[in-house]
């Protein structure tokens, strides 16, 4: 999936770049990119206005692919664009891009799975969750 601007995504999040996010070269450390992606995921999976999580369940990340395109520099902020690529039985495939100053700095695809809190087994998404997620589908 090729998305090039934040406006190409149905969901947006913003995260602040902290001085402590930088590495020895003065750029944001690569591990922090994953934290920015988490900000975008959490805005979907724990959004009280659009609940998708079943009672007694949690989401766990099963897969994360992250492509670094540019450096991120402090100070400032990043914007995270998120869309749903596929809704499975208990899983959701997300496509995300991170932007700084309107430039795409990273792309990502991840899979999260809904699991039963007691058993740890995958748990099917509800019909309501599917309906909500399908509103945020991207090509």
């Amino acid at each position: 999936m090729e998305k090039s601007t934040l406006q190409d995504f149905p969901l947006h999040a913003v995260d602040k770049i902290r001085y402590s996010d930088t590495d020895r070269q003065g750029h944001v450390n690569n591990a922090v990119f994953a934290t920015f992606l988490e900000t975008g995921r959490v805005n979907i999976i724990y959004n009280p206005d659009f609940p998708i999580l079943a009672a007694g369940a949690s989401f766990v990340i099963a897969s994360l692919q992250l492509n670094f395109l540019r450096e991120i520099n402090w100070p400032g902020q990043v914007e995270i664009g998120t869309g749903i690529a596929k809704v499975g039985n208990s899983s959701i495939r997300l496509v995300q891009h991170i932007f700084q100053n309107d430039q795409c700095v990273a792309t990502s695809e991840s899979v999260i799975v809904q699991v039963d809190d007691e058993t740890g087994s995958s748990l099917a998404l509800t019909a309501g969750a599917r309906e909500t997620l399908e509103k945020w589908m991207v090509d």
Side-chain angles (χ1 to χ4, degrees):
M1 166 179 310
E2 292 299 318
K3 300 289 177 195
S4 58
T5 68
L6 183 64
Q7 291 69 35
D8 291 330
F9 292 88
L11 300 159
H12 305 158
V14 176
D15 215 341
K16 179 180 180 179
I17 301 168
R18 292 157 197 79
Y19 178 75
S20 62
D21 293 337
T22 59
D23 58 20
R24 292 178 61 185
Q25 291 80 28
H27 308 117
V28 171
N29 183 284
N30 60 49
V32 178
F33 282 63
T35 301
F36 294 148
L37 294 170
E38 179 183 58
T39 297
R41 285 193 311 273
V42 168
N43 279 350
I44 293 173
I45 61 179
Y46 297 114
N47 185 330
D49 295 330
F50 303 99
I52 62 168
L53 184 64
S58 301
F59 279 106
V60 296
I61 189 160
S63 171
L64 173 66
Q65 177 187 4
L66 175 55
N67 304 301
F68 301 99
L69 305 177
R70 299 177 186 271
E71 298 167 340
I72 298 177
N73 296 294
W74 176 87
Q77 66 180 25
V78 293
E79 296 173 296
I80 305 101
T82 303
I84 307 299
K86 181 180 178 189
V87 179
N89 182 49
S90 60
S91 65
I92 306 164
R93 183 176 303 275
L94 300 149
V95 174
Q96 297 178 282
H97 288 192
I98 302 171
F99 299 89
Q100 185 181 36
N101 301 323
D102 295 322
Q103 290 193 338
C104 185
V105 298
T107 63
S108 174
E109 192 169 306
S110 59
V111 176
I112 57 174
V113 178
Q114 181 173 252
V115 297
D116 182 285
D117 287 339
E118 288 189 25
T119 67
S121 298
S122 62
L123 182 65
L125 298 165
T126 66
R130 289 176 174 288
E131 184 178 325
T132 296
L133 293 165
E134 287 172 3
K135 294 177 187 176
W136 300 325
M137 297 287 290
V138 293
D139 299 326

